[in-house]
């Protein structure tokens, strides 16, 4: 069974942990980032299948990240 990797970029740690807890029950591997720069580093290091991005993140916002992600993958 293939394990899908999901990146959750959310600066509110409580919200991020709730999302992570919910998704882990579906046997997904979850990567948490609490700022845009960390999210980008995870994206570049791992083969991410889905990214859930908060728009208002510190360091790099969700709009900037989605533009970078689209340029780097299909």
């Amino acid at each position: 069974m293939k394990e899908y990797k999901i990146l959750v970029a959310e600066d509110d740690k409580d919200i991020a942990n709730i999302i992570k807890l919910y998704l882990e029950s579906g046997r997904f591997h979850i990567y948490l980032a609490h700022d845009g720069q960390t999210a980008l580093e995870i994206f570049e290091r791992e083969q991410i299948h889905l990214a859930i991005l908060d728009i208002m993140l510190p360091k790099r916002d969700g709009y900037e990240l989605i533009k970078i992600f689209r340029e780097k993958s299909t």
Side-chain angles (χ1 to χ4, degrees), residues 14-70:
D14 291 332
I15 293 173
N17 287 328
I18 290 169
I19 294 169
K20 180 181 182 205
L21 182 66
Y22 182 76
L23 292 173
E24 283 178 334
S25 69
R27 298 186 187 213
F28 299 107
H29 187 87
I30 310 304
Y31 295 89
L32 289 182
H34 300 296
D35 64 69
Q37 183 59 40
T38 303
L40 180 57
E41 290 166 6
I42 292 169
F43 182 83
E44 291 176 336
R45 185 178 65 239
E46 301 294 334
Q47 183 184 358
I48 298 298
H49 298 100
L50 175 71
I52 300 172
L53 306 174
D54 185 6
I55 298 302
M56 296 174 56
L57 290 167
K59 298 185 183 175
R60 292 179 184 260
D61 67 33
Y63 292 117
E64 184 180 355
L65 288 174
I66 197 64
K67 182 179 177 185
I68 294 168
F69 291 178
R70 286 180 175 164

